[in-house]
Amino acid sequence: GIVPFVYSLPIALIVAELSTAFPEDGGYVVWVREACGAVVGSHHAYWVWVIYVVDAAIYPVLVSNYIDNWIPMGDTSRGLLAMGIVCFVTAINLLGTDVMVKFNTVLAVVSLAPTLIFTVLGLPQIQPARCVQAEGDVDWTLLVSWILWLYCGFF
């Protein structure tokens, strides 16, 4: 599609330029601080932290609910599983950056493996005509917002 080139490529180039101009840890928090000053930068850093805390809290619950589909369990068991996931990830982070990086690498491979497997298994069954087939009305607002969210890559 065209979206990666029109939307994602300019964002990638902007991030590359700003990362080169401000070679320090912090990403867009640093960029906002440098562009808008310490007060706005502090507000931005705080709200990004809040977003990440709320966003990170969703995933252990999603994983425990997903596992509940395979192995039925009660509310207490799901809650304990979610807390166990939080404690496990916290322990990995407390062990240091090297352990965290190795764990994230293993997690990335495990997460991407099903995609690779299903892609290889599905390629022989691909029917290109179905990719351009349209049925019913298109909700363009929803489609465009979903595509932009899909390719933004910030969260």
Side-chain angles (χ1 to χ4, degrees):
I2 193 169
V3 173
F5 297 105
V6 173
Y7 185 72
S8 297
L9 182 63
I11 289 176
L13 294 173
I14 290 167
V15 169
E17 180 70 25
L18 288 169
S19 297
T20 304
F22 303 101
E24 60 181 289
D25 291 335
Y28 52 91
V29 171
V30 173
W31 309 334
V32 170
R33 183 193 69 214
E34 293 296 322
C36 301
V39 174
V40 174
S42 296
H43 280 281
H44 178 70
Y46 172 75
W47 288 112
V48 166
W49 177 79
V50 168
I51 289 169
Y52 282 143
V53 166
V54 171
D55 187 54
I58 293 169
Y59 297 109
V61 174
L62 287 174
V63 169
S64 62
N65 286 337
Y66 184 71
I67 291 174
D68 183 42
N69 289 328
W70 288 351
I71 306 166
M73 57 182 117
D75 291 340
T76 304
S77 298
R78 278 196 316 269
L80 289 172
L81 179 60
M83 286 301 297
I85 292 169
V86 170
C87 291
F88 177 71
V89 172
T90 301
I92 288 172
N93 281 306
L94 292 175
L95 289 174
T97 306
D98 292 336
V99 174
M100 184 184 65
V101 167
K102 289 176 185 172
F103 175 73
N104 283 341
T105 303
V106 169
L107 191 61
V109 169
V110 169
S111 297
L112 292 174
T115 302
L116 181 63
I117 291 168
F118 286 123
T119 300
V120 169
L121 292 174
L123 280 176
Q125 301 173 19
I126 195 165
Q127 298 174 3
R130 294 185 72 188
C131 295
V132 294
Q133 183 177 354
E135 294 180 14
D137 294 332
V138 176
D139 184 350
W140 289 102
T141 306
L142 178 63
L143 178 64
V144 170
S145 65
W146 179 77
I147 289 172
L148 292 178
W149 172 82
L150 181 66
Y151 284 103
C152 77
F154 286 121
F155 295 107

